[in-house]
Amino acid sequence: MSLADDPSLWQRVRRVRSRIFEHGTVVLAFQALLVYLFLYVPIAVVIALSFNDSRYAVVWQGFTTEWYEALLTGETVARVNPAAAFQSLVYSIEIAIVTVLVSTVFGTMLAFALDRYEFPGKGLFIGLVYMPIIIPSIVMGISLLLFFNIIGMSLGIGTAMIAHIAFGISFVAVVVAARLQTFDRTLEEAAKDLGANELETFRYVTFPLIKPGIIAGALLAFAMSFDDFVVTFFVIGRENTLPIFFFAMVRQGISPGVNVIASLIIVATLLLVALAQWIEGPIW
Amino acid sequence: MGTEHSIDRGESTAVHRAVRAVRRNRWTGLIVNITPSAFWLIVFFLIPLGVMFYYSFGQRGAFGEVLLGAEHLGLQQYELFFVPPDASVPEAIWWTVAWIIEGLTPVELGLAAGEPTPYVQLTIKSIGYGLLATLVSLAIGYPVAYYIAHVAPARYQNLLLILVILPFWASFLVRVYAIQILLSRNSILTTALGILPFYETGQSLMNTQFAVLLGLTYIWIPFMILPVYASIEQIDFTLQEAAMDLGADRFEAFRRVIFPLSMPGVVAGSILVFIPTAGAFVIPELLGGPRSQMIGNFIANQFGAAGNWPLGAAASFVLMGIMLAAIGIYQRYGESDLA
């Protein structure tokens, strides 16, 4: 009895399964749509609520630009002080620019060294280069805090820059090294054969070819520095960067002022990414 | 110019020769290129880690100060972390294993006489959060990656990929805040969930383990989708047809041909999601309540309010050990599959 039943049941299961998989494209498309909604609905809700005519609720009460107007004219909205926010933005940009300048130069040089030279202990050294990307930010932040404490450096914008450069170098080096792997070195030999010295070879042949990698690395370093919260939180002392300012605001709860700042950050970063995309093509 | 040149000639040829010798030396380029970064990474990354490692062997004094003299150094912080006060080392190991087994089974088994230390419990909970976030990301990210790589029309592929990456560029904290809004009382989500029978309409979901898990998945899921996409994109799908010609149905062909071929992407994505989620600090801080804190919060707390720096340093190195173990697994199973 069971011997006769089992195969037919099994076949029925297989038939149903096959039918599901045949219509799989529709199911997949629907599932993908849900994931995209998952990624974007929360962001859209923040932007929508920044126009919400209510001081406390997350329920829609009507459209207003009141919060934007208040913040842009320098008025404090629900504990969010626009002057303090602007100061933290300035610090964030300062730190990010210094980080990008230093880590792009150092990181690119490092990528060259790793790409073109063999030396004893290279494997270990590559491990060191990857470490700042891999280890939890909280471990990196706290170890730097201890270190600055011991050598007696006072915490502030400077120590934040030092910390950001430390992980910026790693990001730039990894991205540029990936670009260098596909680099055709006979082009450099050709340039030298034609009489160019090292500097000219770099300036006119090597640099233009690896420029997209360097720009991608610089953008990544900028984004990582500008967006970093955890490492900065431990090493910046009493100063604020934008993420630290924002964290303090978020801790106090949802408010229209925070919604406006959040929306402005989203719109500004997405515009920058779109701009970079438009100038340089895909940036990853 | 010409006369000047001839006067300095002897000296300048010596300089030139030295310059040429330096330029010819095969180590010059290496040293020039590597020194700035090596200096920076060693002084501002490796040495601080070393300092913290040293601290993890210290003791806390009676007034919260750190005692680092030779007579105070030892493994006491690690012992405090791993071994309950009245237990031996084998007992501690057994209690930990038993605690994990009991946590995974719904019934009370009463396997062991005691529980592992609260620190070990917290560590295991953090690993659990990381694994769960990884599994959820894989379960909902894999189909999306498959869709982008194989099903979606080719002209939309780039757009769909950009849409996955774009949130990564938008601010991390802003996105955590967005989840906070979504989970708070009377938001769109909590109101919509009112249609579920067991759920009270508009009830806040904040400060729960669910909130932390949702936040972790929301932030890190692009890191799962991208490597899986890269793997599936390279698969030769005539293999699927071959499998089906040989009698496999669509499910069998997927399970036995396509999925194994996409394993490198799955392993890479799992590592990329597991490492940051297990070491998370901000997400449990903002979305979780007192019962859903993770080891990252514990570490921060030891260097802040709780004021036990050596214990915090030891916990940091336990966390680092977990990360290195995860990477070791990746190198063992991830890359061998790539070949």
Side-chain angles (χ1 to χ4, degrees):
Chain A
M1 195 61 195
S2 69
L3 275 174
D5 267 357
D6 271 349
S8 72
L9 182 70
W10 177 233
Q11 271 168 4
R12 222 177 304 152
V13 169
R14 279 184 64 143
R15 217 173 302 140
V16 171
R17 209 170 62 187
S18 258
R19 208 165 303 150
I20 294 171
F21 265 73
E22 263 169 60
H23 296 283
T25 53
V26 181
V27 179
L28 273 178
F30 183 68
Q31 205 266 351
L33 178 70
L34 286 183
V35 172
Y36 281 107
L37 284 177
F38 174 51
L39 286 174
Y40 285 94
V41 164
I43 295 174
V45 167
V46 172
I47 296 177
L49 285 183
S50 71
F51 294 104
N52 188 13
D53 194 4
S54 158
R55 193 166 270 272
Y56 301 107
V58 293
V59 181
W60 184 253
Q61 304 279 353
F63 182 86
T64 181
T65 54
E66 179 191 349
W67 315 119
Y68 283 88
E69 283 160 23
L71 281 174
L72 291 177
T73 51
E75 208 178 299
T76 299
V77 175
R79 299 181 306 266
V80 177
N81 177 358
F86 186 73
Q87 180 59 56
S88 65
L89 172 68
V90 170
Y91 281 150
S92 274
I93 292 177
E94 276 177 22
I95 293 172
I97 287 176
V98 173
T99 302
V100 167
L101 289 178
V102 178
S103 59
T104 305
V105 174
F106 287 7
T108 305
M109 288 161 70
L110 176 61
F112 267 94
L114 293 179
D115 185 61
R116 306 211 159 165
Y117 297 93
E118 294 301 325
F119 52 90
K122 187 176 173 184
L124 272 181
F125 188 73
I126 290 177
L128 172 64
V129 173
Y130 272 98
M131 280 269 271
I133 302 178
I134 294 167
I135 74 164
S137 327
I138 187 156
V139 175
M140 182 165 176
I142 287 177
S143 67
L144 277 164
L145 171 67
L146 281 179
F147 175 75
F148 290 136
N149 250 321
I150 285 177
I151 62 169
M153 252 176 112
S154 57
L155 301 177
I157 304 299
T159 46
M161 286 173 181
I162 288 175
H164 286 204
I165 291 168
F167 61 72
I169 286 175
S170 293
F171 280 108
V172 173
V174 169
V175 172
V176 176
R179 180 87 194 176
L180 279 173
Q181 280 198 334
T182 62
F183 183 83
D184 181 2
R185 290 190 60 186
T186 54
L187 290 170
E188 285 183 348
E189 283 160 27
K192 282 182 187 153
D193 283 348
L194 294 170
N197 62 27
E198 279 98 338
L199 218 59
E200 286 166 341
T201 309
F202 181 78
R203 167 72 186 80
Y204 294 107
V205 178
T206 316
F207 180 70
L209 282 170
I210 61 163
K211 205 171 101 188
I214 296 179
I215 288 177
L219 280 170
L220 191 62
F222 187 92
M224 287 299 163
S225 163
F226 192 77
D227 203 28
D228 179 75
F229 169 75
V230 180
V231 175
T232 320
F233 180 71
F234 290 103
V235 298
I236 202 165
R238 293 159 168 277
E239 307 294 347
N240 273 343
T241 60
L242 193 58
I244 288 173
F245 175 80
F246 192 80
F247 180 80
M249 294 293 104
V250 172
R251 248 195 177 159
Q252 296 173 2
I254 296 158
S255 87
V258 182
N259 292 341
V260 170
I261 303 263
S263 305
L264 290 177
I265 294 174
I266 293 171
V267 172
T269 42
L270 294 192
L271 280 178
L272 277 178
V273 173
L275 187 72
Q277 177 91 25
W278 182 58
I279 298 174
E280 279 299 328
I283 47 170
W284 50 82
Chain B
M1 279 302 279
T3 50
E4 220 177 69
H5 192 225
S6 58
I7 292 166
D8 286 346
R9 196 170 185 180
E11 194 186 322
S12 76
T13 47
V15 172
H16 274 195
R17 215 175 300 139
V19 167
R20 210 175 305 135
V22 168
R23 271 166 64 175
R24 287 246 176 94
N25 188 309
R26 62 200 192 90
W27 297 112
T28 308
L30 173 66
I31 289 164
V32 168
N33 280 319
I34 214 169
T35 304
S37 300
F39 169 80
W40 208 283
L41 287 175
I42 289 170
V43 173
F44 297 118
F45 180 75
L46 203 57
I47 291 178
L49 275 185
V51 167
M52 194 148 93
F53 195 52
Y54 181 56
Y55 265 67
S56 74
F57 297 108
Q59 272 181 26
R60 181 171 70 153
F63 308 103
E65 79 279 20
V66 182
L67 305 172
L68 290 167
E71 72 278 18
H72 298 295
L73 292 182
L75 288 168
Q76 58 274 32
Q77 300 302 335
Y78 293 96
E79 198 186 326
L80 177 66
F81 194 98
F82 284 110
V83 185
D86 48 352
S88 62
V89 173
E91 268 180 325
I93 295 171
W94 167 237
W95 291 2
T96 305
V97 174
W99 193 77
I100 296 173
I101 295 170
E102 297 216 350
L104 294 175
T105 47
V107 283
E108 286 285 327
L109 294 170
L111 283 173
E115 285 194 330
T117 62
Y119 318 118
V120 169
Q121 294 183 14
L122 189 65
T123 309
I124 294 169
K125 253 173 61 185
S126 303
I127 296 174
Y129 273 117
L131 288 176
L132 259 178
T134 308
L135 278 178
V136 174
S137 303
L138 179 63
I140 65 178
Y142 192 96
V144 177
Y146 188 90
Y147 178 78
I148 300 173
H150 189 59
V151 181
R155 65 178 183 283
Y156 293 128
Q157 257 184 23
N158 262 330
L159 178 68
L160 288 170
L161 270 183
I162 290 171
L163 284 175
V164 171
I165 296 157
L166 209 51
F168 165 75
W169 293 97
S171 165
F172 169 75
L173 278 170
V174 168
R175 281 180 297 148
V176 177
Y177 176 66
I179 291 291
Q180 185 172 344
I181 286 187
L182 218 57
L183 294 177
S184 60
R185 193 177 299 280
N186 294 326
S187 73
I188 296 184
L189 179 74
T190 48
T191 308
L193 282 178
I195 55 169
L196 297 176
F198 50 85
Y199 186 82
E200 187 191 328
T201 305
Q203 180 191 332
S204 169
L205 287 170
M206 276 291 293
N207 303 329
T208 59
Q209 303 195 345
F210 171 78
V212 174
L213 192 63
L214 184 80
L216 292 174
T217 310
Y218 178 64
I219 296 291
W220 299 107
I221 195 172
F223 285 67
M224 178 64 82
I225 297 178
L226 293 178
V228 174
Y229 160 82
S231 256
I232 296 180
E233 215 253 327
Q234 288 176 348
I235 294 176
D236 177 3
F237 269 85
T238 54
L239 290 172
Q240 186 193 29
E241 287 164 29
M244 289 172 71
D245 283 347
L246 293 172
D249 64 6
R250 280 172 191 276
F251 175 77
E252 290 279 307
F254 173 76
R255 189 174 69 87
R256 294 174 63 173
V257 177
I258 301 300
F259 188 73
L261 285 172
S262 65
M263 269 316 269
V266 172
V267 175
S270 300
I271 287 293
L272 288 177
V273 175
F274 176 76
I275 288 183
T277 50
F281 162 62
V282 176
I283 291 173
E285 186 81 17
L286 289 179
L287 300 179
R291 285 174 54 79
S292 39
Q293 297 294 292
M294 293 170 63
I295 189 167
N297 310 90
F298 173 77
I299 294 171
N301 198 28
Q302 292 309 313
F303 285 90
N308 189 347
W309 289 21
L311 182 60
S316 301
F317 278 92
V318 172
L319 182 59
M320 294 253 294
I322 295 166
M323 306 290 149
L324 290 182
I327 293 165
I329 292 171
Y330 168 67
Q331 284 182 333
R332 175 81 176 70
Y333 296 101
E335 310 221 316
S336 59
D337 269 319
L338 278 172

